[in-house]
Amino acid sequence: MLRAAWLTFRMHRFEVVMSALLMAVLAVSVLVVSSHLTDLDILGTCWSEDESGTYSRQPVCERFWDIVGSEAGYAKAGLGLLAPIVGLILGVPIVAREVELRTTSLAWSLALRRGRWLLSRLLPMLVLATVGFVILGWAGAGLFKAMEVGPVSPSLSEVASQGPTLVARGLMALGIGVLAGAVMGRTMPAFLIAAVAVIAWSFFGVPTVQQTMFADRAVWTNDVNGYRDGIGPLGTVAGGEFDTSKPGVDGEPGARFDYEGFNRQLVALCGQPPEETIYNDTPEWRSWQACAEQMPYPEDMYWNKVVPASTYPDFQLMELAVDAGIGGAALVLTFPVVARRRPS
Amino acid sequence: MTEPATVSATGVQLPRTTPALEAIGVSKRYRRTGSWALLDADLEVPEGTITALVGPNGAGKSTLIRTWVGFERPSRGRVLVAGIDPQEDRAGAVARIGYVSQSTALYRGLTVAEHIRLAGTLRPGFDDQAAQGRIKELAIPLSQKAGSLSGGQAAQVALCIALSTGAPILLLDEPLAALDPLARHEFLNLLVAAVRERGATALLSSHIVSDVEAVCDQLVVLALGRVALQSPIREAIAEHRLGPIGSVAEEQTVATFARPGGEPIALIRSSDASLPPPSLEELVMGYLAAARSSAASSDRRAA
């Protein structure tokens, strides 16, 4: 078995080396960014005054948010993208390359059962991919933990860029890639088709399934309460992925608040707000805020329909099950395809 | 049931038992092109023989061989490998076959030694030591990558792998096509030595008759998807003669064709010692011409 695994890696060494390298670079980058964020140790201290009564740790906090907005942002994007890409890179050529280069004639005339041949190619790639994805998922979980400050929860899409969901997405892409390669017998077209399928599922399939399965668990909340209570928005746009036709507090669908009108009144009363700093802890701001507090400030200015962060584990489980189902079904389907396939 | 003994090319007396390879009314139509690659082909390859499967390009040689390996499914009829239908028991059929494909496709990035290891992981009972020994005898470096082997070396590696499976039947699909004369000679020597040593059966397809003449004892001529002639080579030559066109009755004439110099001549079914026997190439030419002429007259009748 080890000999077969080694030979499989040798046959696909370009994909194996490239994937391992990409995953290693990203995992190390994520760990470095997480470590920087953790070292800044802003949790708690950013939100409280020091002995002198000022927010002396403000530069550290600004550095923290800089990293969150740049390096950590790239790392998050990488985590979301790399697992499916690696899944495709490793999965598509397993059968397609052999058909394309006509080596199936040799392999399938030697192997008494093509299923066994496929397993000998598939298992090493699956093990490599799983190990890589688990490391990435673990590194991603570390990053999100390091980014957690205060009560704000990450969005659901961010949750999917870490932990077991990341592993499941990567393996699903691998399964789809293997099947596409076996059906088409050509690497590049199969890669494109599989990529389209994975993208379509990630961007349209997952939100649709989520909406269908969890619509009744979404709750209306206003922005202030939402963040204060640790309720994060679903996806990238709060309310955007759920039914916003329900009338909000102003009676309009999607619960709009006349923010511009409110601002006009505020400026008329107190003038333009001073230049912002991270905590607006300047005499000008204190004075302006004192004026602004004269304005009747509605508690319910930003109403959105969201799912509570407490439901995220259910979402994760659902996606794990669906991704594993799709990937597993694709892998299982590959066996009869290979058994019936005519070698080139 | 055991039938009267046959004499193989290797000089061994062989009792006739189940044919090593059979094709029973095999037709194969490719859906993509709609063309028939094989048409009601009936064929038996006796055990322990080296059989030449000869025919022009497109005659259906590769298709027939691939149906035995289980790579193609016949549209009609069936093929048997030592009595086993590959469509019903692919593993059983493949276990009895060592196959060298037309393109001798090896993994370009793997070394020769890795090919041997790979074969060992795929085929139970594969003899790594024997394969390495054969490769060494051929002075092919085990550490050389397949991508940098010459065409002859690649074909020899593929043959060594097929031989080391220990399979009793070897199917060689035009392995000589891309080889220079010296490489062809070495390949055939290796094949004959191995078949002689193991008493295996080999079917060697080629469109170059001179390649197979020296080593084969059976001849199958495939033309336009049909078996035009199937016979031991010695018998086939002994039972045919060349003569001037019109010198014998039409029913004795297989076909008329032009010799390389352009001289028209007739291939005749006869043992008349006063007429010269055909060479193997002339025999094949005659049967190919007959098949072509028969197809042309069928077309005319259909029209």
Side-chain angles (χ1 to χ4, degrees):
Chain A
M1 196 61 209
L2 281 177
R3 192 151 73 157
W6 171 247
L7 288 167
T8 300
F9 289 148
R10 289 272 296 144
M11 277 175 217
H12 298 281
R13 59 183 170 277
F14 174 73
E15 293 84 22
V16 167
V17 169
M18 192 166 75
S19 300
L21 211 61
L22 283 172
M23 290 193 288
V25 167
L26 182 62
V28 169
S29 307
V30 168
L31 290 175
V32 168
V33 172
S34 307
S35 160
H36 281 176
L37 291 175
T38 309
D39 288 349
L40 290 173
D41 189 26
I42 68 162
L43 188 59
T45 58
C46 265
W47 318 101
S48 57
E49 295 174 7
D50 59 19
E51 289 164 357
S52 62
T54 59
Y55 296 102
S56 60
R57 283 180 57 82
Q58 184 166 317
V60 177
C61 296
E62 282 174 355
R63 174 74 188 127
F64 179 90
W65 290 112
D66 278 350
I67 294 175
V68 168
S70 53
E71 288 97 324
Y74 303 137
K76 280 196 296 183
L79 286 168
L81 291 173
L82 192 63
I85 290 174
V86 165
L88 293 175
I89 289 175
L90 290 178
V92 169
I94 290 177
V95 181
R97 172 81 51 74
E98 298 233 13
V99 175
E100 207 165 42
L101 298 181
R102 298 164 185 267
T103 46
T104 43
S105 298
L106 176 65
W108 293 355
S109 68
L110 287 169
L112 301 187
R113 295 184 195 285
R114 290 188 197 175
R116 198 162 171 271
W117 167 83
L118 181 58
L119 264 185
S120 73
R121 295 282 180 281
L122 203 54
L123 282 179
M125 295 300 218
L126 268 176
V127 169
L128 172 73
T130 306
V131 168
F133 296 157
V134 166
I135 291 171
L136 281 183
W138 166 76
L143 176 67
F144 282 93
K145 189 168 172 52
M147 282 164 54
E148 262 179 33
V149 282
V152 183
S153 300
S155 73
L156 185 62
S157 61
E158 287 176 329
V159 170
S161 301
Q162 56 174 304
T165 319
L166 179 146
V167 179
R169 283 192 177 181
L171 292 178
M172 180 195 68
L174 190 144
I176 291 174
V178 174
L179 177 62
V183 170
M184 302 192 71
R186 292 177 64 200
T187 308
M188 273 319 288
F191 189 91
L192 292 176
I193 295 284
V196 167
V198 170
I199 289 168
W201 168 246
S202 304
F203 285 91
F204 303 108
V206 172
T208 304
V209 172
Q210 285 175 347
Q211 183 162 335
T212 308
M213 294 179 71
F214 292 94
D216 58 337
R217 296 174 70 172
V219 292
W220 284 98
T221 184
N222 68 40
D223 210 30
V224 177
N225 283 335
Y227 285 96
R228 196 172 289 153
D229 298 342
I231 296 168
L234 171 71
T236 51
V237 182
E241 294 180 6
F242 283 89
D243 181 14
T244 54
S245 61
K246 183 180 171 186
V249 287
D250 57 359
E252 292 296 317
R256 297 286 181 269
F257 172 73
D258 185 10
Y259 187 66
E260 286 180 4
F262 176 82
N263 269 350
R264 275 196 301 274
Q265 287 178 46
L266 192 63
V267 169
L269 182 70
C270 307
Q272 290 288 346
E275 193 180 340
E276 290 198 36
T277 66
I278 190 162
Y279 298 119
N280 296 335
D281 184 29
T282 58
E284 292 82 13
W285 260 105
R286 286 181 189 150
S287 155
W288 188 84
Q289 278 173 328
C291 172
E293 279 165 15
Q294 309 288 318
M295 280 279 293
Y297 201 94
E299 271 291 306
D300 52 358
M301 58 188 294
Y302 303 110
W303 278 83
N304 287 303
K305 201 170 186 187
V306 300
V307 287
S310 58
T311 61
Y312 286 180
D314 295 345
F315 279 89
Q316 275 191 298
L317 265 182
M318 180 276 295
E319 197 184 336
L320 270 177
V322 175
D323 287 350
I326 293 174
L331 288 178
V332 168
L333 274 175
T334 306
F335 283 83
V337 169
V338 164
R340 294 182 64 83
R341 202 175 211 301
R342 178 189 295 156
S344 47
Chain B
M1 190 180 80
T2 303
E3 295 171 30
T6 55
V7 180
S8 78
T10 58
V12 179
Q13 292 277 335
L14 297 164
R16 287 215 42 197
T17 53
T18 306
L21 298 165
E22 280 178 272
I24 306 159
V26 172
S27 299
K28 173 68 188 177
R29 184 178 197 179
Y30 286 110
R31 275 190 223 151
R32 197 173 293 175
T33 59
S35 60
W36 288 93
L38 291 170
L39 271 172
D40 301 322
D42 284 302
L43 180 62
E44 275 188 17
V45 175
E47 210 178 357
T49 59
I50 302 182
T51 300
L53 180 62
V54 177
N57 291 327
K61 304 184 296 293
S62 294
T63 303
L64 183 58
I65 288 178
R66 285 163 62 94
T67 56
W68 275 311
V69 191
F71 289 176
E72 303 286 352
R73 181 182 289 270
S75 307
R76 287 200 305 259
R78 65 197 295 233
V79 294
L80 299 173
V81 177
I84 299 167
D85 186 338
Q87 297 304 323
E88 290 167 7
D89 178 8
R90 182 184 285 168
V94 170
R96 286 160 177 78
I97 289 173
Y99 171 64
V100 177
S101 71
Q102 196 170 14
S103 53
T104 45
L106 300 176
Y107 295 86
R108 295 181 61 81
L110 296 190
T111 64
V112 175
E114 284 170 333
H115 275 86
I116 292 170
R117 282 201 285 275
L118 176 71
T121 64
L122 291 173
R123 175 64 74 95
F126 183 83
D127 191 342
D128 291 42
Q129 297 302 318
Q132 286 192 15
R134 285 194 180 99
I135 297 283
K136 279 180 189 161
E137 275 174 29
L138 294 165
I140 299 172
L142 285 165
S143 58
Q144 193 165 338
K145 283 195 175 168
S148 63
L149 293 173
S150 68
Q153 287 175 320
Q156 283 171 327
V157 169
L159 179 61
C160 285
I161 290 173
L163 291 172
S164 305
T165 58
I169 300 165
L170 293 166
L171 293 175
L172 313 168
D173 188 4
E174 299 214 30
L176 308 171
L179 306 190
D180 61 51
L182 181 62
R184 287 210 292 267
H185 182 73
E186 286 177 345
F187 183 97
L188 291 171
N189 280 348
L190 177 62
L191 172 68
V192 171
V195 169
R196 190 170 288 157
E197 182 187 310
R198 292 171 30 202
T201 305
L203 179 81
L204 174 65
S205 85
S206 179
H207 60 273
I208 307 166
V209 177
S210 56
D211 282 345
V212 296
E213 189 167 9
V215 298
C216 296
D217 45 14
Q218 298 276 325
L219 174 69
V220 175
V221 179
L222 205 58
L224 304 169
R226 295 175 195 274
V227 176
L229 173 68
Q230 181 189 355
S231 169
I233 291 178
R234 283 183 205 162
E235 281 177 30
I237 290 177
E239 289 167 3
H240 290 82
R241 290 291 182 268
L242 293 174
I245 293 171
S247 62
V248 294
E250 200 176 322
E251 56 270 21
Q252 271 186 282
T253 305
V254 175
T256 58
F257 62 96
R259 280 176 143 174
E263 177 199 352
I265 198 147
L267 179 69
I268 304 159
R269 271 187 218 92
S270 164
S271 311
D272 185 348
S274 65
L275 291 171
S279 66
L280 184 63
E281 186 149 6
E282 287 164 335
L283 185 73
V284 171
M285 289 280 286
Y287 273 90
L288 292 181
R292 206 164 290 158
S293 145
S294 163
S297 54
S298 297
D299 288 348
R300 276 196 298 275
R301 277 198 299 275

